[in-house]
Amino acid sequence: MAEFIMELNDEQKEVRDWIHGFAAEVMRPAAAEWDEREETPWPVIQEAAKIGIYSLDFYAQQYFDPTGLGIPMAMEELFWGDAGIALSIVGTGLAAVGVLANGTEEQIGTWIPQMYGTPDDVKVAAFCSSEPDAGSDVASLRTRAVYDEAKDEWVLNGTKTWATNGGIAGVHVVVASVDPELGSKGHASFIVPPNTPGLSQGQKFQKHGIRASHTAEVVLEDVRVPGSCLLGGKEKLDERLARARERAKSGGERVKNAAMATFEASRPAVGAMAVGTARAAYEEALEYARTREQFGRPIIDNQGVAFQLADMRTSIDAARLLVWRASWMAVNGKPFTAAEGSQSKLFASETAKKVTAQAIQILGGNGFTREYPVERMHRDAAIYTIFEGTSEIQRLVIARTLSGMPIR
């Protein structure tokens, strides 16, 4: 087990600087344009693929970094560049994590490469969990998967919403109910291969922030996928369902469902995204405060501004440490006995909202215009307290973990 450290090693610093260079030279100059267009920035994704940032190999190297710091370091730098473009680059990763968390070795080797494509033919993937009536309340999920034993196929029906890359993805990973009586414990994840009949894009959402990232509904109408597309395989599913039924009868411990396994693995990464956006806004505000003069002196000479910047930097550093701790714990198989993953996501996302708002305040009227990037950063930061578990849900998870009580 790797020791928990609070400093990147030389190799990690080299990778960090490489990603930072891409974020500064390619992403930032394109950020305002793609935010206004509200379209997937395919040329930027392709540039990322050409240099190796958008690739299975890159994410595998960071994912399996024994220190746990590879992924959060990469996420922070990319989202420092621009949250909307960064989410277009890393959105496929959530689907990939879904396969890594629940799939067999064969499924991992078959499907994850197809999610990324090649630098000359870039692809994206989508993880489809939320529904119009089932966001935080995953037990209310209505998308059904029914097994057709005669054909060894699963038939999927339902509507997914808030799916990053939904409809434009090649590979979709869909969470569906196979046993509604078991609630969230009766869920399973399925691969829907490219060009599968019955899957279509529904409404594309026009969003407040992260507008360069494609978010849409995914409609499944009698979608048939081979039995091999059930992540983990049917034997493993049958065993898990049998245990869940037995525990339901005896009132025993709860078991994790497929969607929650994915979210638990990704929450520290979302925290790192929030840290990146917060850091970007802080740096803009700090530079502005140093150069903007009022009453014959830089505004940073005023305690009202300087103290805000001190609080901003302190919160950002604290958020990063919580993210790094949770990431190290996850990679090294240490249980989140105090919901450390949720802690990191909660604090970092709330920090991003607060810091970006403070940055606008420091810039004053300029901060409220699109001429300065803090306005966009503030809009982007709003998503961190919402997706992959709202702040309220994170607090609920933490409280339940600490108390052992079914707090509602």
Side-chain angles (χ1 to χ4, degrees):
M1 179 184 295
E3 293 184 1
F4 177 51
I5 58 174
M6 293 185 288
E7 185 178 8
L8 301 177
N9 60 39
D10 290 342
E11 183 178 348
Q12 290 167 329
K13 289 177 182 177
E14 185 176 337
V15 173
R16 178 199 62 191
D17 294 345
W18 171 55
I19 301 171
H20 185 83
F22 177 79
E25 297 166 15
V26 180
M27 295 174 65
R28 282 210 166 177
E33 175 190 351
W34 291 100
D35 178 72
E36 291 287 342
R37 291 175 64 168
E38 297 191 56
E39 296 175 357
T40 300
W42 290 107
V44 183
I45 298 174
Q46 188 167 37
E47 287 301 310
K50 286 179 180 178
I51 66 169
I53 289 179
Y54 185 76
S55 70
L56 171 61
D57 287 345
F58 172 73
Y59 286 104
Q61 289 174 10
Q62 305 315 312
Y63 186 84
F64 293 110
D65 181 339
T67 70
L69 303 186
I71 287 293
M73 173 269 295
M75 294 298 166
E76 180 177 335
E77 294 305 323
L78 288 170
F79 281 75
W80 173 90
D82 177 68
I85 293 176
L87 194 57
S88 287
I89 292 173
V90 308
T92 294
L94 185 58
V97 168
V99 176
L100 283 169
N102 302 296
T104 64
E105 289 187 9
E106 182 179 356
Q107 289 168 331
I108 291 169
T110 299
W111 296 110
I112 293 184
Q114 294 187 47
M115 293 179 174
Y116 290 95
T118 67
D120 294 326
D121 186 19
V122 171
K123 304 293 184 183
V124 295
F127 182 74
C128 307
S129 177
S130 294
E131 298 184 1
D133 296 319
S136 298
D137 182 12
V138 294
S140 297
L141 186 147
R142 295 182 180 178
T143 296
R144 287 294 313 278
V146 178
Y147 185 56
D148 183 344
E149 189 171 359
K151 295 184 178 181
D152 186 26
E153 293 179 338
W154 288 90
V155 184
L156 280 62
N157 282 281
T159 299
K160 294 296 182 179
T161 194
W162 311 123
T164 299
N165 297 330
I168 67 170
V171 176
H172 291 74
V173 178
V174 177
V175 181
S177 174
V178 296
D179 190 336
E181 293 184 2
L182 291 175
S184 61
K185 293 183 282 292
H187 296 175
S189 292
F190 298 85
I191 292 285
V192 180
N195 304 314
T196 298
L199 185 147
S200 62
Q201 178 184 307
Q203 174 188 4
K204 178 187 174 183
F205 296 103
Q206 295 181 304
K207 305 187 298 295
H208 175 67
I210 54 167
R211 300 197 303 189
S213 173
H214 176 96
T215 311
E217 291 181 332
V218 173
V219 180
L220 303 129
E221 297 179 305
D222 291 329
V223 171
R224 286 183 167 268
V225 298
S228 60
C229 287
L230 166 64
L231 290 181
K234 193 167 187 306
E235 182 177 348
K236 183 177 178 181
L237 172 65
D238 289 341
E239 291 175 357
R240 179 166 62 81
L241 294 178
R243 290 196 303 270
R245 294 185 189 107
E246 190 62 32
R247 284 169 177 156
K249 290 178 183 178
S250 62
E253 62 180 306
R254 298 186 305 168
V255 279
K256 297 174 184 176
N257 64 71
M260 289 301 100
T262 300
F263 290 142
E264 282 187 14
S266 62
R267 275 173 181 156
V270 176
M273 298 173 189
V275 170
T277 299
R279 193 185 106 212
Y282 159 76
E283 290 176 1
E284 291 286 338
L286 178 62
E287 179 62 23
Y288 186 88
R290 283 171 169 164
T291 56
R292 172 71 168 174
E293 292 192 0
Q294 290 284 282
F295 306 106
R297 61 181 184 177
I299 63 172
I300 199 170
D301 280 358
N302 299 301
Q303 282 189 4
V305 173
F307 284 9
Q308 280 196 76
L309 288 162
D311 287 343
M312 292 159 74
R313 175 59 185 265
T314 301
S315 295
I316 291 166
D317 285 1
R320 182 183 299 110
L321 288 173
L322 284 171
V323 166
W324 282 16
R325 179 185 68 167
S327 300
W328 170 79
M329 290 176 69
V331 165
N332 286 281
K334 296 184 73 67
F336 289 162
T337 56
E340 289 85 353
S342 289
Q343 285 185 35
S344 70
K345 199 254 182 197
L346 170 64
F347 190 80
S349 59
E350 294 288 347
T351 292
K353 282 187 69 173
K354 183 177 180 180
V355 165
T356 54
Q358 288 174 308
I360 289 177
Q361 194 69 24
I362 290 171
L363 269 67
N366 286 329
F368 200 65
T369 70
R370 295 191 182 182
E371 183 179 352
Y372 289 80
V374 293
E375 175 272 340
R376 184 179 68 252
M377 293 169 184
H378 183 52
R379 286 189 287 108
D380 291 341
I383 194 59
Y384 299 127
T385 61
I386 297 172
F387 73 172
E388 293 199 49
T390 64
S391 287
E392 292 74 19
I393 289 296
Q394 305 308 322
R395 291 185 176 99
L396 188 63
V397 170
I398 295 166
R400 285 176 173 174
T401 303
L402 295 177
S403 69
M405 301 296 290
I407 299 169
R408 297 183 181 275

